[in-house]
Amino acid sequence: MEKILSPSMMCADFGNLAKEIRDLEAAGADSFHLDLMDGAFVPNYGMGLQDIQYIVSHASVPCDVHMMSVNPGEYVELFAKMGCGTIYIHPETDPHAPRTLQKILDSRARAGIAVNPGTSYSSIAPLLTMAQDVLVMTVNPGFAGQKYLPFVDEKIEELLAHREKYGGFRIFIDGACSPQVIARLSAKGVEGFVLGTSALFGKCKPYNELISELRRL
Ligand code: DX5
Ligand code: ZN
């Protein structure tokens, strides 16, 4: 099955952002993953709105925004208007996630839920009919370069097993996506992988070589 490979732009070289976007697209990136961090929902800050705006307006592939932030419902309009691809909200921080997801569905963006490692499958099951994409966090959100949390595999299996019943959402993995993880999970039917330091950035090979190797897995 064709994998969706999505470089995590928080790992990119912000001193050469235009070139990074060009090189990554030329290397075959299917979309970009833009992490928004508010220092409250996650203990980190990351890209600012101006960075997200810049990447969205310079990219020719979809740009998904991963809102690691409280009260996402107040800001989804902003990202939909920017022209973002999938807008991922964390239901852990939105008591009215169905209302927020409907807001995204009514916009031109795709509705996504991002699920922390400690969040159970059963607690998000009610939302799955409204999610077009599900982003499974396989690390604690907020930082690159962390270790894969194997206990999340069980939740991935549950999502795969129930996917058709809930309308066929796509499953993406975010965190420590190494070539080994990508090979193992794409064989099980997981479509999308957020590429950070485990598979793409900070390596001594050019992006196009790394991405074509990942395609062949
Ligand atoms: C985690 C971030 C991702 C990812 C980075 O919050 O959303 O960008 O972990 O990739 P790795 O884990 O491979 O450095
Ligand atoms: Zn992310």
Side-chain angles (χ1 to χ4, degrees):
M1 177 205 31
E2 202 39 47
K3 293 182 266 298
I4 301 168
L5 300 177
S6 189
S8 175
M9 296 305 274
M10 71 181 257
C11 305
D13 171 5
F14 272 69
N16 291 292
L17 200 47
K19 185 175 180 317
E20 290 280 81
I21 293 169
R22 273 197 310 277
D23 292 353
L24 287 162
E25 288 184 346
D30 298 302
S31 55
F32 289 132
H33 183 86
L34 312 182
D35 287 307
L36 178 80
M37 304 180 197
D38 66 358
F41 181 64
V42 292
N44 195 4
Y45 289 100
M47 272 177 251
L49 291 183
Q50 67 279 17
D51 304 306
I52 292 176
Q53 178 66 67
Y54 181 90
I55 296 170
V56 173
S57 44
H58 287 76
S60 51
V61 295
C63 293
D64 303 334
V65 65
H66 175 192
M67 295 181 74
M68 289 175 268
S69 51
V70 297
N71 305 328
E74 289 168 36
Y75 303 98
V76 293
E77 206 101 359
L78 172 77
F79 295 113
K81 284 212 174 77
M82 268 191 200
C84 289
T86 301
I87 298 174
Y88 290 106
I89 64 158
H90 273 272
E92 300 96 338
T93 184
D94 184 349
H96 302 295
R99 184 190 297 158
T100 305
L101 290 168
Q102 191 56 55
K103 229 190 229 178
I104 307 172
L105 288 168
D106 293 343
S107 78
R108 57 185 178 161
R110 286 175 66 88
I113 54 173
V115 188
N116 280 340
T119 301
S120 67
Y121 166 79
S122 54
S123 66
I124 55 142
L127 301 174
L128 291 174
T129 49
M130 300 185 76
Q132 293 168 291
D133 294 333
V134 176
L135 184 75
V136 180
M137 296 306 300
T138 43
V139 296
N140 292 305
F143 299 92
Q146 301 179 90
K147 285 228 168 315
Y148 186 92
L149 298 171
F151 63 81
V152 178
D153 285 352
E154 197 176 324
K155 182 167 34 179
I156 295 170
E157 296 290 349
E158 299 234 47
L159 286 164
L160 285 163
H162 294 89
R163 168 172 24 213
E164 290 327 311
K165 176 180 158 193
Y166 286 114
F169 50 84
R170 299 186 307 184
I171 300 172
F172 283 68
I173 303 297
D174 184 2
C177 286
S178 63
Q180 296 73 20
V181 163
I182 295 170
R184 180 168 62 83
L185 294 181
S186 56
K188 288 175 179 286
V190 171
E191 288 96 334
F193 299 92
V194 173
L195 307 180
T197 63
S198 310
L200 188 63
F201 292 98
K203 305 289 180 201
C204 47
K205 272 190 199 170
Y207 293 143
N208 60 342
E209 268 183 51
L210 290 162
I211 286 188
S212 19
E213 282 167 15
L214 294 173
R215 289 250 181 256
R216 287 196 293 270
L217 290 177

